[in-house]
Amino acid sequence: MKLLNHTTKYLSLLLLPLITLWAIAFYYAMLDEIYDSLDDGLENQKILLMQRTKEDPSILQNTDFNKHVYAFKPISKNDYKHFKESYRDTLMYMYNEDDYEPVRIYESTLKHDNIYYKIKIITSMVEEDDLIGDLVQYLIGLYILLVISILLLNNILLKKIWKPFYHSIAQLKNFKIEKENKITTKPSTIDEFELLNKTITKLIKKSSDSYTEQKHFIENASHELQTPLAISINKLELFLENNPLDENQTKALAAVLDNLNRLTRLNKSLLLLSKIENKQFLNEETIDFSLLTADILEDFKDLLAHKNITINFENDATPKTIINRDLAIILLTNFIKNAIIHGHSNSEITIQLKTNSWAISNFGPSKALNENTLFTRFKKVGNNKKSSGLGLAINKAIATKYNLKLSYNFNDTHTFFIHFP
Amino acid sequence: MKILIIEDEPQMLDNMRLTLEREHYQIETAVDFKTASEKLGVYDYDCILLDITLPDGNGLDLLKQIKAQGKADGVIVVSAKDSLDDRLKGLNLGADDYLPKPFHNAELNARVKAVLRRLHFEGNNQIEIGNVKINPENRVVEVANEILELNRKEYAILMYLITNKNRLVTKSALAEHVWGDHIDQTDSFDFIYSQIKNLRKKLEKATINVEAVYGVGYKLNIAQ
């Protein structure tokens, strides 16, 4: 849920009980004021009637409400003395409404020519159910109006205010450190956003710098390792040649040499990986993957014969893409080499070409590999001690550079795919 | 045959010198740009091993100097950088080969021999060893005047071992030379063994033989 709608949600939830409480209080206060004003009117009517009785005593004969809104009834002196004035509500039939409607009735006493009278005066009343109905309707209207205004306010005003914020987070969402795309922030007069922008810019710059530094560090370190490795290998080779050694000594020296050679290959792979990431392969051309596969397979002919693996090359389609030739060779060589090395002897490897994909499957251990870690550095499959664990990482780096997608699938055979854009 | 090694790392220089001296070449050395430039101005060499990164200059400038003097010296650029850029620059400037560090001694020897052979015999020389004759131009191998059918890899193995005759060639040096980086993992040594076995079978009538050295590598011997 968006920040804007979040506040609106809570505001509208809060408004509901607030308006309800306010409505109840308002209703009673208003009702009280209405009663007060009605009662005042009734009392005033009594005073007016008392004045009229002096001029026209005949009105005292009026004992019901058929003709007038008042009625007189003679009472005893004792009753007169103990009478308490009262206002109360009652129901009366109204002709216009064709229903019993509430009326306010005022009961009081008066004395005229030594006769005591009880006087009743009525006036029509507020219809409470109607009042409540009206009030609820108007309040619902008010509530809807408020929520709409808040929404509008949020969407127009707040959106404008939060614009630098949304701009910044949209950039962060698309930011990829290896893509080297810069982040631009929108200047804002709001301190918090300005602080956020500055912090983002600073952090991104710092991470990008250390990323670049790290990339170059690997490249430089690999370069620096080449010479001492070369010296060690060559010295040992000379020593092996120039000194008469027995079998054990020779084998021990050869083991050291083997490890140095492994180190050299590892170093070369690391160097290659940094070079790909540092964009040092610039020349690109359209490569026909069908032809290239055939070329590379030629190189593996004797290794295939040695393991008695047959290649099933289904090149019905000829996928082509623009890529650096050396990197395309490395990409396919790594996949083919892996398939041969991890494939069972006397089995079959299938290479299938489609217009937008290249796939290689081999029979190997009957267990799927972990696709999540497969293409990460130093992730060795099985217990192959001579594997550098960098082959697939290199492939991944090449694929990323040229927007190719790599995937893996296990279905009796292990299959690796290159999907062309 | 006179060879000049231009290399600023003394131990590296020593290794290269010792390796090539075994082949009875006359070796001269230079450890910096200035010495190298002076030597190149005075003497002629058959082959020059040129390190690109020198403390007081760029080896590629020396290459320009050699070519400007119109000398026919063979030049092999040696570099720890193994960058495509350097390789292309070197070859464009007229270098005969590019050898990235680290390399095997056997590889250095093979590259030097290849350059020398190309320069001095224009590729038409015939290599004779025992009763084996090889024509590198058309890759025809004869044993006792009979043509021997070798596939591409077997030929490469034989040539490499002949180039490094009487020397120990380690399995990894051989594998790297013949198969590149393709077989650097499991099975590789077993694989090389089976290839050597095939080659030996074909060389039955030859007076040369491939000797296995404690399972570490191979040595090509000429039967007396």
Side-chain angles (χ1 to χ4, degrees):
Chain A
M1 189 182 262
K2 278 200 168 181
L3 183 71
L4 289 177
N5 300 335
H6 214 69
T7 41
T8 312
K9 185 182 86 182
Y10 283 110
L11 218 53
S12 48
L13 281 177
L14 186 71
L15 272 176
L16 208 59
L18 259 177
I19 286 180
T20 313
L21 275 177
W22 181 86
I24 293 167
F26 175 75
Y27 173 74
Y28 282 106
M30 204 168 70
L31 217 56
D32 195 54
E33 195 52 47
I34 291 168
Y35 278 128
D36 203 43
S37 139
L38 281 176
D39 294 353
D40 283 354
L42 286 169
E43 209 179 334
N44 186 49
Q45 195 108 38
K46 180 196 157 189
I47 295 165
L48 284 173
L49 279 172
M50 277 169 78
Q51 285 171 356
R52 254 179 88 187
T53 49
K54 282 170 194 159
E55 294 159 14
D56 179 14
S58 66
I59 57 164
L60 288 167
Q61 306 309 310
N62 193 26
T63 52
D64 57 35
F65 296 111
N66 285 342
K67 281 188 195 153
H68 299 287
V69 289
Y70 52 85
F72 293 97
K73 192 184 169 194
I75 51 167
S76 63
K77 188 183 175 184
N78 200 29
D79 282 348
Y80 177 76
K81 271 187 182 156
H82 293 99
F83 195 83
K84 268 189 107 179
E85 284 194 339
S86 73
Y87 300 94
R88 56 190 175 81
D89 301 336
T90 186
L91 290 174
M92 222 175 121
Y93 185 77
M94 297 274 170
Y95 288 96
N96 62 337
E97 301 266 337
D98 190 20
D99 198 5
Y100 285 89
E101 294 293 335
V103 289
R104 189 73 168 164
I105 187 160
Y106 172 48
E107 289 183 327
S108 185
T109 53
L110 64 87
K111 201 176 117 189
H112 185 78
D113 295 344
N114 285 324
I115 305 172
Y116 301 99
Y117 293 94
K118 183 169 96 173
I119 181 172
K120 283 185 187 173
I121 309 170
I122 54 163
T123 183
S124 87
M125 263 266 303
V126 179
E127 293 172 36
E128 285 184 31
D129 51 346
D130 285 0
L131 181 69
I132 290 173
D134 283 355
L135 201 63
V136 167
Q137 266 183 28
Y138 279 99
L139 283 176
I140 289 173
L142 176 71
Y143 179 75
I144 292 169
L145 214 66
L146 276 173
V147 171
I148 289 173
S149 340
I150 291 168
L151 271 173
L152 280 177
L153 195 78
N154 274 350
N155 279 303
I156 296 165
L157 197 69
L158 288 185
K159 220 174 202 170
K160 206 176 153 204
I161 294 173
W162 284 82
K163 209 171 183 172
F165 175 77
Y166 285 111
H167 179 81
S168 299
I169 59 167
Q171 298 246 312
L172 283 180
K173 202 177 127 195
N174 296 323
F175 179 74
K176 276 203 182 96
I177 199 156
E178 64 273 13
K179 292 267 179 210
E180 287 172 12
N181 46 357
K182 291 274 179 295
I183 286 227
T184 54
T185 52
K186 267 200 158 58
S188 169
T189 48
I190 299 164
D191 288 350
E192 282 84 351
F193 289 157
E194 209 35 48
L195 181 70
L196 182 73
N197 285 347
K198 271 188 190 155
T199 317
I200 288 173
T201 317
K202 212 170 92 184
L203 277 175
I204 297 276
K205 192 179 176 307
K206 214 173 158 188
S207 334
S208 297
D209 284 354
S210 56
Y211 181 72
T212 319
E213 204 175 293
Q214 187 207 335
K215 276 200 306 188
H216 287 121
F217 173 79
I218 295 175
E219 196 182 335
N220 294 339
S222 303
H223 270 147
E224 291 305 316
L225 280 171
Q226 306 279 56
T227 304
L229 272 172
I231 294 170
S232 313
I233 290 171
N234 295 350
K235 269 207 187 313
L236 281 174
E237 282 176 346
L238 275 170
F239 191 82
L240 257 179
E241 278 190 273
N242 294 338
N243 296 282
L245 299 174
D246 67 28
E247 183 170 354
N248 285 336
Q249 290 166 329
T250 311
K251 279 191 167 160
L253 265 188
V256 176
L257 262 173
D258 264 352
N259 281 300
L260 285 175
N261 287 326
R262 253 178 74 197
L263 202 56
T264 305
R265 279 195 297 273
L266 184 65
N267 201 35
K268 273 187 185 164
S269 299
L270 273 177
L271 198 52
L272 177 65
L273 204 51
S274 344
K275 279 181 177 172
I276 296 167
E277 284 172 356
N278 293 343
K279 308 199 164 41
Q280 292 182 18
F281 290 89
L282 297 171
N283 298 329
E284 291 171 6
E285 57 191 290
T286 305
I287 299 286
D288 180 334
F289 272 63
S290 175
L291 285 177
L292 191 65
T293 307
D295 276 356
I296 294 170
L297 283 176
E298 195 58 35
D299 282 339
F300 281 106
K301 235 165 108 185
D302 31 8
L303 188 57
L304 285 166
H306 176 66
K307 283 198 82 171
N308 195 21
I309 294 176
T310 44
I311 291 275
N312 181 16
F313 187 28
E314 299 172 13
N315 55 342
D316 302 330
T318 50
K320 287 180 182 129
T321 197
I322 295 171
I323 188 171
N324 176 282
R325 175 169 280 274
D326 291 322
L327 293 184
I329 292 171
I330 291 167
L331 179 70
L332 294 191
T333 302
N334 279 342
F335 276 134
I336 294 173
K337 187 164 76 180
N338 278 351
I340 298 173
I341 285 165
H342 299 292
H344 287 315
S345 295
N346 314 313
S347 70
E348 195 177 61
I349 288 175
T350 303
I351 299 178
Q352 198 174 39
L353 269 65
K354 289 191 180 150
T355 41
N356 53 3
S357 72
W358 182 98
I360 185 164
S361 341
N362 67 276
F363 290 93
S366 54
K367 194 171 161 272
L369 308 167
N370 183 352
E371 199 182 349
N372 294 328
T373 56
L374 206 51
F375 294 102
T376 51
R377 292 179 186 194
F378 301 115
K379 212 54 187 176
K380 293 186 191 180
V381 174
N383 50 4
N384 185 350
K385 290 191 179 60
K386 288 196 174 179
S387 156
S388 69
L390 284 173
L392 289 178
I394 287 171
N395 278 8
K396 175 86 190 163
I398 296 172
T400 308
K401 186 178 157 76
Y402 294 104
N403 292 322
L404 309 173
K405 215 179 132 257
L406 303 183
S407 66
Y408 163 78
N409 165 355
F410 177 72
N411 184 8
D412 289 331
T413 55
H414 298 267
T415 310
F416 284 88
F417 294 91
I418 305 170
H419 305 274
F420 299 101
Chain B
M1 293 282 174
K2 230 166 116 185
I3 294 174
L4 174 67
I5 307 173
I6 306 165
E7 163 71 62
D8 64 315
E9 173 63 54
Q11 296 194 65
M12 195 73 211
L13 181 66
D14 217 35
N15 286 336
M16 289 159 86
R17 189 174 53 78
L18 287 170
T19 301
L20 295 173
E21 270 176 0
R22 277 183 64 113
E23 301 295 318
H24 310 293
Y25 298 124
Q26 190 187 335
I27 310 287
E28 295 260 340
T29 59
V31 292
D32 53 39
F33 188 94
K34 203 170 147 271
T35 325
S37 183
E38 281 167 13
K39 286 200 173 176
L40 285 168
V42 183
Y43 308 106
D44 284 337
Y45 297 95
D46 297 290
C47 183
I48 297 158
L49 292 165
L50 176 60
D51 185 11
I52 291 186
T53 43
L54 296 170
D56 55 344
N58 189 328
L60 290 176
D61 292 332
L62 283 174
L63 181 56
K64 283 180 199 158
Q65 184 191 329
I66 297 164
K67 294 298 154 189
Q69 286 168 347
K71 291 189 176 175
D73 311 352
V75 179
I76 299 174
V77 171
V78 178
S79 169
K81 268 166 105 186
D82 190 17
S83 82
L84 212 64
D85 205 35
D86 276 355
R87 185 190 294 257
L88 289 175
K89 263 190 210 157
L91 296 179
N92 283 340
L93 286 171
D96 296 82
D97 206 350
Y98 182 93
L99 184 58
K101 286 183 200 170
F103 46 78
H104 294 284
N105 289 337
E107 188 64 35
L108 173 68
N109 189 26
R111 302 280 187 113
V112 170
K113 275 217 174 113
V115 165
L116 291 176
R117 201 180 295 137
R118 240 186 351 252
L119 284 174
H120 291 274
F121 307 100
E122 271 104 34
N124 285 326
N125 66 319
Q126 186 140 309
I127 299 167
E128 276 197 56
I129 177 165
N131 62 352
V132 181
K133 276 187 216 153
I134 300 171
N135 187 335
E137 183 78 340
N138 52 20
R139 304 189 158 213
V140 172
V141 182
E142 285 175 41
V143 175
N145 296 321
E146 256 178 73
I147 289 180
L148 192 67
E149 292 296 334
L150 293 179
N151 66 31
R152 221 152 53 104
K153 294 293 156 73
E154 286 164 347
Y155 176 81
I157 297 170
L158 182 62
M159 272 305 282
Y160 197 61
L161 290 174
I162 286 175
T163 312
N164 288 293
K165 63 174 183 285
N166 296 323
R167 300 183 73 150
L168 169 63
V169 176
T170 60
K171 282 179 175 174
S172 43
L174 183 66
E176 251 177 71
H177 178 83
V178 181
W179 291 277
D181 286 336
H182 294 343
I183 56 149
D184 52 8
Q185 299 189 6
T186 34
D187 303 343
S188 63
F189 290 172
D190 178 33
F191 169 55
I192 292 164
Y193 175 71
S194 77
Q195 301 285 311
I196 294 279
K197 214 166 74 179
N198 290 341
L199 185 63
R200 276 188 184 144
K201 217 176 273 169
K202 292 189 178 176
L203 288 173
E204 257 176 349
K205 286 181 182 161
T207 53
I208 55 171
N209 72 301
V210 181
E211 177 202 346
V213 183
Y214 302 135
V216 167
Y218 298 95
K219 198 189 257 181
L220 188 114
N221 297 316
I222 305 156
Q224 296 306 318

